[in-house]
Short mmCIF file of all heavy atoms in Angstrom, two decimals:
data_model
loop_
_atom_site.label_atom_id
_atom_site.label_comp_id
_atom_site.label_asym_id
_atom_site.label_seq_id
_atom_site.Cartn_x
_atom_site.Cartn_y
_atom_site.Cartn_z
N ALA Q 55 -28.49 -15.25 -4.18
CA ALA Q 55 -29.74 -14.42 -4.23
C ALA Q 55 -30.50 -14.47 -3.04
O ALA Q 55 -31.03 -13.41 -2.45
CB ALA Q 55 -30.60 -14.86 -5.39
N ASP Q 56 -30.53 -15.70 -2.28
CA ASP Q 56 -31.19 -15.74 -0.96
C ASP Q 56 -30.50 -14.87 -0.02
O ASP Q 56 -31.23 -14.11 0.75
CB ASP Q 56 -31.17 -17.17 -0.53
CG ASP Q 56 -32.02 -18.15 -1.28
OD1 ASP Q 56 -32.92 -17.69 -1.87
OD2 ASP Q 56 -31.56 -19.38 -1.22
N ALA Q 57 -29.23 -14.83 0.07
CA ALA Q 57 -28.46 -14.06 0.93
C ALA Q 57 -28.76 -12.54 0.67
O ALA Q 57 -28.88 -11.76 1.65
CB ALA Q 57 -27.00 -14.37 0.91
N ALA Q 58 -28.65 -12.05 -0.56
CA ALA Q 58 -28.75 -10.72 -0.93
C ALA Q 58 -30.26 -10.28 -0.54
O ALA Q 58 -30.45 -9.13 -0.18
CB ALA Q 58 -28.48 -10.53 -2.42
N SER Q 59 -31.15 -11.12 -0.85
CA SER Q 59 -32.57 -10.79 -0.53
C SER Q 59 -32.80 -10.70 0.97
O SER Q 59 -33.51 -9.83 1.41
CB SER Q 59 -33.48 -11.85 -1.17
OG SER Q 59 -34.71 -11.72 -0.78
N PHE Q 60 -32.18 -11.59 1.66
CA PHE Q 60 -32.41 -11.66 3.19
C PHE Q 60 -31.84 -10.41 3.87
O PHE Q 60 -32.35 -9.86 4.75
CB PHE Q 60 -31.69 -12.84 3.73
CG PHE Q 60 -31.77 -13.13 5.17
CD1 PHE Q 60 -32.91 -13.54 5.84
CD2 PHE Q 60 -30.67 -12.79 6.06
CE1 PHE Q 60 -32.96 -13.70 7.22
CE2 PHE Q 60 -30.77 -12.91 7.37
CZ PHE Q 60 -31.97 -13.32 8.04
N GLY Q 61 -30.49 -9.98 3.47
CA GLY Q 61 -29.74 -9.03 4.25
C GLY Q 61 -30.31 -7.66 4.04
O GLY Q 61 -30.69 -7.24 2.93
N GLU Q 62 -30.36 -6.98 5.19
CA GLU Q 62 -30.54 -5.42 5.10
C GLU Q 62 -29.25 -4.84 4.70
O GLU Q 62 -29.04 -3.78 4.01
CB GLU Q 62 -31.00 -4.96 6.42
CG GLU Q 62 -32.43 -5.47 6.94
CD GLU Q 62 -32.64 -5.25 8.33
OE1 GLU Q 62 -33.23 -4.14 8.76
OE2 GLU Q 62 -32.34 -6.14 9.14
N ILE Q 63 -28.17 -5.44 5.19
CA ILE Q 63 -26.80 -5.17 4.69
C ILE Q 63 -26.25 -6.41 4.12
O ILE Q 63 -26.42 -7.60 4.65
CB ILE Q 63 -25.88 -4.68 5.89
CG1 ILE Q 63 -26.42 -3.32 6.46
CG2 ILE Q 63 -24.43 -4.61 5.43
CD1 ILE Q 63 -25.64 -2.85 7.63
N VAL Q 64 -25.43 -6.23 2.96
CA VAL Q 64 -24.88 -7.39 2.22
C VAL Q 64 -23.38 -7.24 2.25
O VAL Q 64 -22.87 -6.20 2.03
CB VAL Q 64 -25.45 -7.51 0.84
CG1 VAL Q 64 -24.88 -8.75 0.13
CG2 VAL Q 64 -27.04 -7.58 0.85
N VAL Q 65 -22.67 -8.40 2.49
CA VAL Q 65 -21.26 -8.51 2.59
C VAL Q 65 -20.87 -9.28 1.30
O VAL Q 65 -21.15 -10.48 1.26
CB VAL Q 65 -20.81 -9.08 3.92
CG1 VAL Q 65 -19.25 -9.09 3.91
CG2 VAL Q 65 -21.33 -8.25 5.06
N ASN Q 66 -19.93 -8.76 0.57
CA ASN Q 66 -19.25 -9.45 -0.48
C ASN Q 66 -17.99 -9.98 0.07
O ASN Q 66 -16.97 -9.37 0.15
CB ASN Q 66 -18.88 -8.55 -1.72
CG ASN Q 66 -18.08 -9.37 -2.74
OD1 ASN Q 66 -18.27 -10.50 -2.81
ND2 ASN Q 66 -17.14 -8.65 -3.38
N ALA Q 67 -17.97 -11.30 0.38
CA ALA Q 67 -16.81 -11.98 0.91
C ALA Q 67 -16.31 -13.03 -0.06
O ALA Q 67 -15.72 -14.04 0.42
CB ALA Q 67 -17.17 -12.56 2.25
N THR Q 68 -16.59 -12.95 -1.40
CA THR Q 68 -16.09 -13.81 -2.34
C THR Q 68 -14.72 -13.51 -2.74
O THR Q 68 -14.15 -12.35 -2.45
CB THR Q 68 -16.93 -13.75 -3.60
OG1 THR Q 68 -16.97 -12.45 -4.16
CG2 THR Q 68 -18.43 -14.16 -3.31
N ALA Q 69 -13.94 -14.49 -3.43
CA ALA Q 69 -12.74 -14.12 -4.03
C ALA Q 69 -12.98 -12.97 -5.16
O ALA Q 69 -13.98 -13.03 -5.85
CB ALA Q 69 -12.21 -15.35 -4.69
N GLY Q 70 -12.08 -12.10 -5.20
CA GLY Q 70 -12.26 -10.98 -6.10
C GLY Q 70 -12.49 -11.28 -7.49
O GLY Q 70 -13.32 -10.69 -8.22
N ALA Q 71 -11.84 -12.35 -7.92
CA ALA Q 71 -12.06 -12.78 -9.37
C ALA Q 71 -13.40 -13.29 -9.73
O ALA Q 71 -13.82 -13.24 -10.74
CB ALA Q 71 -10.96 -13.83 -9.80
N ALA Q 72 -14.05 -13.68 -8.64
CA ALA Q 72 -15.48 -14.24 -8.75
C ALA Q 72 -16.48 -13.23 -8.37
O ALA Q 72 -17.72 -13.48 -8.45
CB ALA Q 72 -15.62 -15.52 -8.01
N SER Q 73 -16.15 -12.02 -7.81
CA SER Q 73 -17.07 -11.19 -7.17
C SER Q 73 -18.21 -10.69 -8.07
O SER Q 73 -19.44 -10.76 -7.75
CB SER Q 73 -16.41 -9.95 -6.56
OG SER Q 73 -15.65 -10.39 -5.42
N LEU Q 74 -17.85 -10.23 -9.36
CA LEU Q 74 -18.82 -9.63 -10.16
C LEU Q 74 -19.90 -10.59 -10.64
O LEU Q 74 -21.09 -10.42 -10.70
CB LEU Q 74 -18.20 -8.92 -11.42
CG LEU Q 74 -17.53 -7.63 -11.01
CD1 LEU Q 74 -16.54 -7.16 -12.26
CD2 LEU Q 74 -18.52 -6.57 -10.76
N GLU Q 75 -19.38 -11.91 -10.86
CA GLU Q 75 -20.30 -12.91 -11.25
C GLU Q 75 -21.21 -13.37 -10.09
O GLU Q 75 -22.44 -13.62 -10.26
CB GLU Q 75 -19.49 -14.10 -11.79
CG GLU Q 75 -20.33 -15.21 -12.36
CD GLU Q 75 -19.46 -16.52 -12.74
OE1 GLU Q 75 -18.16 -16.29 -12.79
OE2 GLU Q 75 -19.95 -17.57 -12.77
N ALA Q 76 -20.68 -13.42 -8.98
CA ALA Q 76 -21.38 -13.81 -7.73
C ALA Q 76 -22.43 -12.77 -7.43
O ALA Q 76 -23.64 -13.02 -7.13
CB ALA Q 76 -20.52 -13.96 -6.51
N LEU Q 77 -22.08 -11.47 -7.52
CA LEU Q 77 -23.02 -10.40 -7.25
C LEU Q 77 -24.05 -10.40 -8.36
O LEU Q 77 -25.24 -10.06 -8.04
CB LEU Q 77 -22.32 -9.05 -7.13
CG LEU Q 77 -21.43 -9.04 -5.81
CD1 LEU Q 77 -20.59 -7.78 -5.89
CD2 LEU Q 77 -22.31 -8.98 -4.65
N ALA Q 78 -23.69 -10.71 -9.63
CA ALA Q 78 -24.85 -10.80 -10.71
C ALA Q 78 -25.80 -11.85 -10.36
O ALA Q 78 -26.99 -11.61 -10.45
CB ALA Q 78 -24.15 -11.02 -12.00
N ALA Q 79 -25.29 -12.93 -9.85
CA ALA Q 79 -26.26 -14.10 -9.38
C ALA Q 79 -27.08 -13.56 -8.17
O ALA Q 79 -28.24 -14.01 -8.06
CB ALA Q 79 -25.34 -15.38 -9.15
N ALA Q 80 -26.38 -12.86 -7.43
CA ALA Q 80 -27.16 -12.42 -6.19
C ALA Q 80 -28.30 -11.46 -6.58
O ALA Q 80 -29.36 -11.44 -5.98
CB ALA Q 80 -26.30 -11.52 -5.19
N GLY Q 81 -28.16 -10.71 -7.69
CA GLY Q 81 -29.16 -9.95 -8.34
C GLY Q 81 -29.14 -8.50 -7.91
O GLY Q 81 -29.26 -8.10 -6.76
N ALA Q 82 -29.09 -7.66 -8.96
CA ALA Q 82 -29.12 -6.20 -8.75
C ALA Q 82 -30.33 -5.77 -8.00
O ALA Q 82 -30.27 -4.88 -7.13
CB ALA Q 82 -29.00 -5.50 -10.06
N ALA Q 83 -31.47 -6.30 -8.32
CA ALA Q 83 -32.64 -5.95 -7.62
C ALA Q 83 -32.67 -6.20 -6.06
O ALA Q 83 -33.10 -5.46 -5.26
CB ALA Q 83 -33.87 -6.55 -8.24
N ASN Q 84 -32.02 -7.39 -5.75
CA ASN Q 84 -31.87 -7.70 -4.39
C ASN Q 84 -30.87 -6.90 -3.60
O ASN Q 84 -30.79 -6.80 -2.30
CB ASN Q 84 -31.40 -9.14 -4.20
CG ASN Q 84 -32.55 -10.11 -4.53
OD1 ASN Q 84 -33.72 -9.82 -4.28
ND2 ASN Q 84 -32.02 -11.25 -5.18
N LEU Q 85 -29.93 -6.24 -4.36
CA LEU Q 85 -28.89 -5.32 -3.70
C LEU Q 85 -29.39 -3.86 -3.70
O LEU Q 85 -28.77 -2.98 -3.02
CB LEU Q 85 -27.68 -5.42 -4.53
CG LEU Q 85 -27.00 -6.88 -4.49
CD1 LEU Q 85 -25.82 -7.03 -5.49
CD2 LEU Q 85 -26.46 -7.25 -3.08
N ALA Q 86 -30.43 -3.43 -4.48
CA ALA Q 86 -30.72 -2.11 -4.67
C ALA Q 86 -31.02 -1.47 -3.43
O ALA Q 86 -31.75 -1.87 -2.58
CB ALA Q 86 -31.88 -1.95 -5.70
N GLY Q 87 -30.38 -0.21 -3.27
CA GLY Q 87 -30.69 0.53 -2.03
C GLY Q 87 -29.95 0.10 -0.75
O GLY Q 87 -29.84 0.81 0.21
N LYS Q 88 -29.32 -1.10 -0.85
CA LYS Q 88 -28.71 -1.64 0.32
C LYS Q 88 -27.22 -1.27 0.48
O LYS Q 88 -26.57 -1.02 -0.57
CB LYS Q 88 -28.77 -3.17 0.37
CG LYS Q 88 -30.26 -3.67 0.45
CD LYS Q 88 -30.34 -5.20 0.43
CE LYS Q 88 -31.83 -5.52 0.64
NZ LYS Q 88 -32.02 -7.08 0.52
N VAL Q 89 -26.65 -1.34 1.66
CA VAL Q 89 -25.17 -1.14 1.92
C VAL Q 89 -24.51 -2.51 1.50
O VAL Q 89 -25.07 -3.51 1.94
CB VAL Q 89 -24.90 -0.91 3.41
CG1 VAL Q 89 -23.43 -0.93 3.64
CG2 VAL Q 89 -25.58 0.44 3.85
N LEU Q 90 -23.63 -2.35 0.56
CA LEU Q 90 -22.92 -3.59 0.10
C LEU Q 90 -21.48 -3.45 0.49
O LEU Q 90 -20.78 -2.65 -0.11
CB LEU Q 90 -23.07 -3.71 -1.53
CG LEU Q 90 -22.25 -4.83 -2.11
CD1 LEU Q 90 -22.60 -6.22 -1.50
CD2 LEU Q 90 -22.44 -4.82 -3.62
N ILE Q 91 -21.04 -4.16 1.58
CA ILE Q 91 -19.71 -4.04 2.02
C ILE Q 91 -18.81 -5.04 1.23
O ILE Q 91 -19.07 -6.21 1.18
CB ILE Q 91 -19.57 -4.47 3.49
CG1 ILE Q 91 -20.52 -3.67 4.44
CG2 ILE Q 91 -18.28 -4.51 4.01
CD1 ILE Q 91 -20.75 -4.07 5.79
N ASP Q 92 -17.86 -4.36 0.53
CA ASP Q 92 -16.87 -5.20 -0.30
C ASP Q 92 -15.61 -5.37 0.39
O ASP Q 92 -14.84 -4.43 0.54
CB ASP Q 92 -16.74 -4.40 -1.66
CG ASP Q 92 -15.83 -5.15 -2.58
OD1 ASP Q 92 -15.73 -6.35 -2.55
OD2 ASP Q 92 -15.07 -4.33 -3.25
N ILE Q 93 -15.30 -6.57 0.54
CA ILE Q 93 -14.09 -6.99 1.33
C ILE Q 93 -13.09 -7.71 0.35
O ILE Q 93 -12.09 -8.17 0.76
CB ILE Q 93 -14.39 -7.95 2.48
CG1 ILE Q 93 -15.52 -7.40 3.46
CG2 ILE Q 93 -13.21 -8.26 3.36
CD1 ILE Q 93 -15.89 -8.13 4.60
N ALA Q 94 -13.46 -7.79 -0.96
CA ALA Q 94 -12.63 -8.60 -1.79
C ALA Q 94 -11.39 -7.98 -2.34
O ALA Q 94 -11.34 -6.73 -2.55
CB ALA Q 94 -13.64 -9.15 -2.91
N ASN Q 95 -10.47 -8.80 -2.83
CA ASN Q 95 -9.22 -8.37 -3.44
C ASN Q 95 -9.15 -9.05 -4.73
O ASN Q 95 -9.49 -10.23 -4.93
CB ASN Q 95 -7.95 -8.72 -2.57
CG ASN Q 95 -7.85 -7.75 -1.48
OD1 ASN Q 95 -7.69 -6.55 -1.63
ND2 ASN Q 95 -7.75 -8.36 -0.20
N PRO Q 96 -8.90 -8.26 -5.83
CA PRO Q 96 -8.99 -8.77 -7.26
C PRO Q 96 -7.81 -9.52 -7.64
O PRO Q 96 -7.15 -9.21 -8.72
CB PRO Q 96 -9.24 -7.48 -8.08
CG PRO Q 96 -8.53 -6.45 -7.26
CD PRO Q 96 -8.69 -6.76 -5.80
N ILE Q 97 -7.38 -10.49 -6.83
CA ILE Q 97 -6.31 -11.29 -7.17
C ILE Q 97 -6.50 -12.14 -8.36
O ILE Q 97 -7.57 -12.71 -8.46
CB ILE Q 97 -5.92 -12.22 -5.96
CG1 ILE Q 97 -5.50 -11.45 -4.79
CG2 ILE Q 97 -4.81 -13.19 -6.31
CD1 ILE Q 97 -5.29 -12.25 -3.46
N ASP Q 98 -5.57 -12.20 -9.30
CA ASP Q 98 -5.74 -12.98 -10.50
C ASP Q 98 -5.44 -14.41 -10.16
O ASP Q 98 -4.21 -14.74 -9.87
CB ASP Q 98 -4.86 -12.45 -11.65
CG ASP Q 98 -4.99 -13.23 -12.92
OD1 ASP Q 98 -5.61 -14.31 -12.97
OD2 ASP Q 98 -4.43 -12.72 -13.97
N PRO Q 99 -6.37 -15.35 -10.17
CA PRO Q 99 -6.08 -16.67 -9.84
C PRO Q 99 -5.05 -17.42 -10.75
O PRO Q 99 -4.55 -18.35 -10.36
CB PRO Q 99 -7.50 -17.34 -9.84
CG PRO Q 99 -8.37 -16.48 -10.50
CD PRO Q 99 -7.76 -15.14 -10.57
N ALA Q 100 -4.92 -16.87 -11.86
CA ALA Q 100 -4.01 -17.50 -12.88
C ALA Q 100 -2.52 -16.99 -12.64
O ALA Q 100 -1.63 -17.55 -13.24
CB ALA Q 100 -4.40 -17.18 -14.21
N SER Q 101 -2.34 -15.97 -11.87
CA SER Q 101 -0.97 -15.41 -11.45
C SER Q 101 -0.32 -16.38 -10.55
O SER Q 101 -0.82 -17.13 -9.73
CB SER Q 101 -1.11 -14.03 -10.93
OG SER Q 101 -1.71 -14.06 -9.63
N GLY Q 102 1.07 -16.38 -10.71
CA GLY Q 102 1.92 -17.17 -9.90
C GLY Q 102 2.19 -16.52 -8.68
O GLY Q 102 1.40 -15.87 -7.96
N ARG Q 103 3.50 -16.51 -8.24
CA ARG Q 103 3.97 -15.87 -7.13
C ARG Q 103 5.01 -14.83 -7.50
O ARG Q 103 5.98 -15.22 -8.18
CB ARG Q 103 4.65 -16.97 -6.10
CG ARG Q 103 3.57 -17.75 -5.45
CD ARG Q 103 4.25 -18.75 -4.56
NE ARG Q 103 3.20 -19.40 -3.76
CZ ARG Q 103 2.82 -18.97 -2.55
NH1 ARG Q 103 3.36 -17.85 -2.00
NH2 ARG Q 103 1.87 -19.56 -1.86
N PRO Q 104 4.95 -13.61 -7.06
CA PRO Q 104 3.81 -13.12 -6.20
C PRO Q 104 2.54 -13.02 -7.08
O PRO Q 104 2.54 -12.76 -8.27
CB PRO Q 104 4.26 -11.74 -5.82
CG PRO Q 104 5.21 -11.31 -6.94
CD PRO Q 104 6.00 -12.56 -7.42
N PRO Q 105 1.39 -13.02 -6.46
CA PRO Q 105 0.14 -12.88 -7.15
C PRO Q 105 -0.03 -11.54 -7.70
O PRO Q 105 0.48 -10.55 -7.02
CB PRO Q 105 -1.00 -13.17 -6.14
CG PRO Q 105 -0.39 -13.44 -4.77
CD PRO Q 105 1.20 -13.39 -5.00
N THR Q 106 -0.74 -11.41 -8.77
CA THR Q 106 -1.00 -10.03 -9.33
C THR Q 106 -2.56 -9.81 -9.29
O THR Q 106 -3.31 -10.60 -9.00
CB THR Q 106 -0.45 -9.93 -10.76
OG1 THR Q 106 -1.06 -10.88 -11.57
CG2 THR Q 106 1.06 -10.17 -10.78
N LEU Q 107 -2.82 -8.53 -9.50
CA LEU Q 107 -4.26 -8.04 -9.57
C LEU Q 107 -4.82 -8.04 -11.00
O LEU Q 107 -4.11 -7.85 -11.91
CB LEU Q 107 -4.38 -6.67 -8.91
CG LEU Q 107 -3.77 -6.52 -7.52
CD1 LEU Q 107 -3.96 -5.05 -7.11
CD2 LEU Q 107 -4.40 -7.37 -6.54
N ARG Q 108 -6.06 -8.40 -11.04
CA ARG Q 108 -6.77 -8.36 -12.30
C ARG Q 108 -7.10 -7.00 -12.74
O ARG Q 108 -7.26 -6.71 -14.01
CB ARG Q 108 -8.15 -9.09 -12.14
CG ARG Q 108 -8.02 -10.68 -12.35
CD ARG Q 108 -9.44 -11.11 -12.81
NE ARG Q 108 -9.21 -12.47 -13.21
CZ ARG Q 108 -10.30 -13.27 -13.53
NH1 ARG Q 108 -11.55 -12.77 -13.36
NH2 ARG Q 108 -10.18 -14.51 -13.86
N VAL Q 109 -7.28 -6.13 -11.81
CA VAL Q 109 -7.58 -4.62 -12.09
C VAL Q 109 -6.83 -3.82 -10.99
O VAL Q 109 -6.76 -4.20 -9.95
CB VAL Q 109 -9.09 -4.46 -12.04
CG1 VAL Q 109 -9.67 -4.85 -10.69
CG2 VAL Q 109 -9.37 -2.96 -12.35
N CYS Q 110 -6.20 -2.75 -11.50
CA CYS Q 110 -5.53 -1.83 -10.62
C CYS Q 110 -5.20 -0.57 -11.33
O CYS Q 110 -5.38 -0.45 -12.61
CB CYS Q 110 -4.26 -2.49 -10.06
SG CYS Q 110 -2.88 -2.75 -11.15
N ASN Q 111 -4.66 0.42 -10.60
CA ASN Q 111 -4.07 1.56 -11.14
C ASN Q 111 -5.02 2.57 -11.74
O ASN Q 111 -5.15 3.68 -11.20
CB ASN Q 111 -2.95 1.19 -12.25
CG ASN Q 111 -1.92 2.30 -12.52
OD1 ASN Q 111 -1.69 3.10 -11.59
ND2 ASN Q 111 -1.38 2.40 -13.65
N THR Q 112 -5.78 2.19 -12.75
CA THR Q 112 -6.78 3.07 -13.42
C THR Q 112 -8.16 2.77 -13.00
O THR Q 112 -9.13 3.34 -13.46
CB THR Q 112 -6.59 3.20 -14.88
OG1 THR Q 112 -6.73 1.82 -15.41
CG2 THR Q 112 -5.31 3.71 -15.28
N ASP Q 113 -8.41 1.65 -12.29
CA ASP Q 113 -9.69 1.16 -11.85
C ASP Q 113 -9.49 0.17 -10.67
O ASP Q 113 -8.33 -0.07 -10.30
CB ASP Q 113 -10.32 0.47 -13.13
CG ASP Q 113 -11.78 0.24 -12.96
OD1 ASP Q 113 -12.46 0.74 -12.00
OD2 ASP Q 113 -12.35 -0.27 -13.90
N SER Q 114 -10.60 -0.22 -10.10
CA SER Q 114 -10.51 -1.08 -8.96
C SER Q 114 -11.67 -2.00 -9.01
O SER Q 114 -12.71 -1.70 -9.66
CB SER Q 114 -10.40 -0.35 -7.74
OG SER Q 114 -11.56 0.39 -7.53
N LEU Q 115 -11.65 -3.14 -8.30
CA LEU Q 115 -12.81 -3.94 -8.09
C LEU Q 115 -13.96 -3.20 -7.36
O LEU Q 115 -15.09 -3.34 -7.82
CB LEU Q 115 -12.44 -5.19 -7.39
CG LEU Q 115 -13.62 -6.17 -6.98
CD1 LEU Q 115 -14.19 -6.71 -8.28
CD2 LEU Q 115 -13.09 -7.32 -6.19
N GLY Q 116 -13.62 -2.43 -6.44
CA GLY Q 116 -14.67 -1.68 -5.76
C GLY Q 116 -15.48 -0.71 -6.64
O GLY Q 116 -16.69 -0.67 -6.59
N GLU Q 117 -14.80 -0.10 -7.61
CA GLU Q 117 -15.31 0.69 -8.63
C GLU Q 117 -16.13 -0.03 -9.59
O GLU Q 117 -17.27 0.30 -9.93
CB GLU Q 117 -14.36 1.63 -9.30
CG GLU Q 117 -13.68 2.69 -8.48
CD GLU Q 117 -12.42 3.20 -9.26
OE1 GLU Q 117 -12.56 4.20 -9.84
OE2 GLU Q 117 -11.31 2.65 -8.83
N GLN Q 118 -15.60 -1.31 -9.96
CA GLN Q 118 -16.32 -2.00 -10.98
C GLN Q 118 -17.66 -2.48 -10.29
O GLN Q 118 -18.64 -2.64 -11.08
CB GLN Q 118 -15.54 -3.23 -11.37
CG GLN Q 118 -14.23 -2.83 -12.19
CD GLN Q 118 -13.40 -4.09 -12.59
OE1 GLN Q 118 -13.41 -5.05 -11.83
NE2 GLN Q 118 -12.71 -3.92 -13.70
N ILE Q 119 -17.62 -2.87 -9.05
CA ILE Q 119 -18.93 -3.31 -8.31
C ILE Q 119 -19.87 -2.21 -8.25
O ILE Q 119 -21.12 -2.42 -8.56
CB ILE Q 119 -18.56 -3.98 -6.96
CG1 ILE Q 119 -17.79 -5.28 -7.14
CG2 ILE Q 119 -19.81 -4.12 -6.16
CD1 ILE Q 119 -17.25 -5.87 -5.81
N GLN Q 120 -19.38 -1.02 -7.85
CA GLN Q 120 -20.31 0.09 -7.77
C GLN Q 120 -20.93 0.51 -9.12
O GLN Q 120 -22.15 0.81 -9.29
CB GLN Q 120 -19.65 1.31 -7.17
CG GLN Q 120 -20.48 2.55 -6.99
CD GLN Q 120 -21.62 2.25 -6.02
OE1 GLN Q 120 -21.45 2.35 -4.85
NE2 GLN Q 120 -22.80 2.04 -6.59
N HIS Q 121 -20.14 0.39 -10.20
CA HIS Q 121 -20.53 0.63 -11.55
C HIS Q 121 -21.47 -0.33 -12.06
O HIS Q 121 -22.50 0.00 -12.74
CB HIS Q 121 -19.31 0.68 -12.52
CG HIS Q 121 -19.56 1.14 -13.92
ND1 HIS Q 121 -19.73 0.26 -14.95
CD2 HIS Q 121 -19.79 2.41 -14.40
CE1 HIS Q 121 -20.03 1.03 -16.06
NE2 HIS Q 121 -20.02 2.27 -15.72
N ALA Q 122 -21.31 -1.60 -11.77
CA ALA Q 122 -22.17 -2.70 -12.22
C ALA Q 122 -23.55 -2.77 -11.39
O ALA Q 122 -24.46 -3.18 -11.93
CB ALA Q 122 -21.49 -4.09 -12.13
N PHE Q 123 -23.52 -2.30 -10.16
CA PHE Q 123 -24.69 -2.27 -9.35
C PHE Q 123 -24.91 -0.91 -8.73
O PHE Q 123 -24.69 -0.53 -7.61
CB PHE Q 123 -24.49 -3.33 -8.21
CG PHE Q 123 -24.27 -4.74 -8.69
CD1 PHE Q 123 -22.89 -5.15 -8.90
CD2 PHE Q 123 -25.32 -5.45 -9.12
CE1 PHE Q 123 -22.70 -6.40 -9.46
CE2 PHE Q 123 -25.01 -6.79 -9.60
CZ PHE Q 123 -23.73 -7.20 -9.74
N ARG Q 124 -25.39 -0.09 -9.63
CA ARG Q 124 -25.50 1.37 -9.37
C ARG Q 124 -26.46 1.71 -8.31
O ARG Q 124 -26.13 2.78 -7.55
CB ARG Q 124 -25.98 2.13 -10.73
CG ARG Q 124 -25.07 2.01 -11.89
CD ARG Q 124 -25.49 3.16 -12.98
NE ARG Q 124 -24.42 3.13 -13.86
CZ ARG Q 124 -23.19 3.81 -13.88
NH1 ARG Q 124 -23.00 4.49 -12.72
NH2 ARG Q 124 -22.41 3.79 -14.77
N ASP Q 125 -27.39 0.86 -7.95
CA ASP Q 125 -28.36 1.17 -6.89
C ASP Q 125 -27.85 0.62 -5.46
O ASP Q 125 -28.51 0.93 -4.55
CB ASP Q 125 -29.63 0.68 -7.34
CG ASP Q 125 -30.30 1.44 -8.45
OD1 ASP Q 125 -29.88 2.60 -8.70
OD2 ASP Q 125 -31.02 0.83 -9.27
N ALA Q 126 -26.75 -0.18 -5.52
CA ALA Q 126 -26.17 -0.61 -4.33
C ALA Q 126 -25.31 0.49 -3.61
O ALA Q 126 -24.81 1.39 -4.40
CB ALA Q 126 -25.37 -1.88 -4.47
N ARG Q 127 -25.16 0.58 -2.38
CA ARG Q 127 -24.31 1.59 -1.77
C ARG Q 127 -23.07 0.88 -1.31
O ARG Q 127 -22.98 0.42 -0.23
CB ARG Q 127 -25.14 2.27 -0.74
CG ARG Q 127 -26.45 2.98 -1.24
CD ARG Q 127 -27.13 3.74 -0.20
NE ARG Q 127 -27.66 2.89 0.75
CZ ARG Q 127 -28.03 3.23 2.05
NH1 ARG Q 127 -27.60 4.46 2.49
NH2 ARG Q 127 -28.56 2.34 2.84
N VAL Q 128 -22.08 0.87 -2.24
CA VAL Q 128 -20.85 0.07 -1.99
C VAL Q 128 -20.02 0.79 -1.06
O VAL Q 128 -19.59 1.87 -1.12
CB VAL Q 128 -20.11 -0.19 -3.31
CG1 VAL Q 128 -18.76 -1.05 -2.99
CG2 VAL Q 128 -20.99 -0.95 -4.19
N VAL Q 129 -19.41 0.01 0.02
CA VAL Q 129 -18.38 0.52 0.92
C VAL Q 129 -17.29 -0.54 0.87
O VAL Q 129 -17.54 -1.71 1.27
CB VAL Q 129 -18.93 0.69 2.36
CG1 VAL Q 129 -17.82 1.23 3.26
CG2 VAL Q 129 -20.14 1.76 2.33
N LYS Q 130 -16.08 -0.15 0.50
CA LYS Q 130 -15.03 -1.06 0.67
C LYS Q 130 -14.24 -0.89 1.88
O LYS Q 130 -14.00 0.27 2.42
CB LYS Q 130 -13.96 -0.59 -0.51
CG LYS Q 130 -12.84 -1.55 -0.71
CD LYS Q 130 -12.98 -2.37 -1.81
CE LYS Q 130 -12.13 -3.65 -1.83
NZ LYS Q 130 -12.36 -4.41 -3.07
N THR Q 131 -14.00 -2.01 2.60
CA THR Q 131 -13.34 -1.97 3.81
C THR Q 131 -12.76 -3.37 4.15
O THR Q 131 -13.14 -4.29 3.50
CB THR Q 131 -14.24 -1.52 4.96
OG1 THR Q 131 -13.53 -1.28 6.09
CG2 THR Q 131 -15.37 -2.57 5.29
N LEU Q 132 -11.92 -3.32 5.05
CA LEU Q 132 -11.39 -4.67 5.67
C LEU Q 132 -10.61 -5.53 4.62
O LEU Q 132 -10.04 -6.61 5.15
CB LEU Q 132 -12.47 -5.50 6.19
CG LEU Q 132 -13.17 -4.87 7.47
CD1 LEU Q 132 -14.44 -5.77 7.89
CD2 LEU Q 132 -12.17 -4.95 8.67
#
Side-chain angles (χ1 to χ4, degrees):
Chain Q
D56 292 334
S59 172
F60 178 81
E62 298 165 89
I63 293 180
V64 180
V65 179
N66 174 35
T68 58
S73 291
L74 287 166
E75 189 187 336
L77 292 169
N84 290 326
L85 298 168
K88 296 182 180 174
V89 175
L90 175 57
I91 301 176
D92 174 32
I93 310 185
N95 284 301
I97 295 171
D98 184 347
S101 62
R103 287 179 170 269
T106 58
L107 301 179
R108 274 203 172 172
V109 56
C110 68
N111 201 26
T112 56
D113 199 359
S114 63
L115 179 61
E117 289 167 90
Q118 290 181 334
I119 290 173
Q120 183 62 82
H121 188 258
F123 302 93
R124 293 196 173 279
D125 295 330
R127 299 184 289 154
V128 178
V129 178
K130 186 109 201 177
T131 191
L132 290 172

